Amino acid sequence: DAKTTQPTSMDCAEGRAANLPCNHSTISGNEYVYWYRQIHSQGPQYIIHGLKNNETNEMASLIITEDRKSSTLILPHATLRDTAVYYCIVRVTNAGKSTFGDGTTLTVKP
Amino acid sequence: EADIYQTPRYLVIGTGKKITLECSQTMGHDKMYWYQQDPGMELHLIHYSYGVNSTEKGDLSSESTVSRIRTEHFPLTLESARPSHTSQYLCASSRSGANVLTFGAGSRLTVL
């Protein structure tokens, strides 16, 4: 697996966009970028994934740089319920096990 | 609405007891996983299975064992629990050809 680097923690004001960065400079051509989040020790929840094009779903947007060495998860209008640990993972799509690092603790403040 | 179920959610037992944590999924996923997570710490993969009768050790050594006799069921067993086994155990599954994990709510084990 390519190694990922994320900031330990971030704050965001409620209603504003939360931009969570992830560096994955050793990513290989067939590896996807996946994002999960874990709210207060619940099981992690899948958010979004992508290969090289930007992706958007009902939860978030994923922006991947052209060289694919970094990406940003965007929560367009953060709410208090988005406070969680966010994990960036790089894997080939058909691989089995996934390794979760320390992630970024996002705190959304009123 | 959960498609992957873990029981019990909470368990407090004494040292030396045998315990089994249950995990079942209704999605027909081939792949299943067990992660261990201490409070405030990262998740560590301890077991995984790519199908019936297939089990492998994960990245973190664990004294627990698993079995996969049916596709939907992936129980984890500790033959003799110790206080060092106190942790949260999270089960997950994914289908072949994809890498999106669906997690259960977790089983929080306390060994006294």
Side-chain angles (χ1 to χ4, degrees):
Chain A
D1 298 351
K3 179 177 171 57
T4 62
T5 304
Q6 299 178 251
T8 301
S9 64
M10 294 180 64
D11 290 342
C12 177
E14 188 178 19
R16 305 298 291 268
N19 298 292
L20 293 94
C22 180
N23 287 320
H24 31 79
S25 58
T26 60
I27 192 171
S28 58
N30 62 344
E31 288 183 311
Y32 285 67
V33 181
Y34 291 79
W35 283 84
Y36 290 81
R37 72 180 182 183
Q38 186 176 26
I39 297 174
H40 190 55
S41 297
Q42 298 176 19
Q45 175 191 25
Y46 164 78
I47 301 172
I48 197 167
H49 74 284
L51 182 63
K52 54 184 177 182
N53 297 321
N54 298 337
E55 302 287 343
T56 296
N57 63 20
E58 65 279 3
M59 291 182 68
S61 294
L62 174 60
I63 308 298
I64 303 174
T65 58
E66 191 169 343
D67 63 8
R68 303 208 324 121
K69 293 185 177 181
S70 66
S71 61
T72 301
L73 178 75
I74 301 172
L75 308 178
H77 305 287
T79 71
L80 299 178
R81 288 174 294 181
D82 291 322
T83 292
V85 179
Y86 287 78
Y87 299 99
C88 169
I89 297 167
V90 175
R91 292 291 298 173
V92 296
T93 186
N94 197 33
K97 52 184 182 145
S98 294
T99 300
F100 289 76
D102 292 327
T104 296
T105 299
L106 173 69
T107 302
V108 180
K109 299 185 174 181
Chain B
E1 186 175 333
D3 296 309
I4 181 164
Y5 305 93
Q6 290 188 242
T7 58
R9 288 293 314 281
Y10 302 93
L11 180 62
V12 180
I13 60 170
T15 297
K17 299 292 185 182
K18 176 181 178 179
I19 65 108
T20 296
L21 304 180
E22 303 287 350
C23 177
S24 295
Q25 51 95 5
T26 59
M27 298 171 284
H29 287 173
D30 291 334
K31 300 175 181 175
M32 297 189 74
Y33 316 83
W34 278 102
Y35 287 83
Q36 183 176 345
Q37 185 179 36
D38 293 330
M41 305 299 285
E42 64 181 271
L43 290 92
H44 292 285
L45 181 70
I46 53 174
H47 298 284
Y48 61 100
S49 167
Y50 287 168
V52 171
N53 294 325
S54 156
T55 61
E56 301 287 344
K57 295 282 189 183
D59 303 322
L60 179 69
S61 176
S62 173
E63 294 170 342
S64 59
T65 59
V66 292
S67 62
R68 190 89 184 276
I69 298 172
R70 303 198 314 266
T71 297
E72 63 272 20
H73 196 214
F74 192 41
L76 180 146
T77 298
L78 278 165
E79 289 293 334
S80 180
R82 295 204 303 269
S84 61
H85 297 139
T86 294
S87 190
Q88 177 165 241
Y89 294 84
L90 290 154
C91 182
S93 69
S94 67
R95 64 177 176 85
S96 293
N99 198 24
V100 174
L101 298 174
T102 300
F103 280 84
S107 291
R108 191 174 296 279
L109 173 66
T110 301
V111 184
L112 304 176

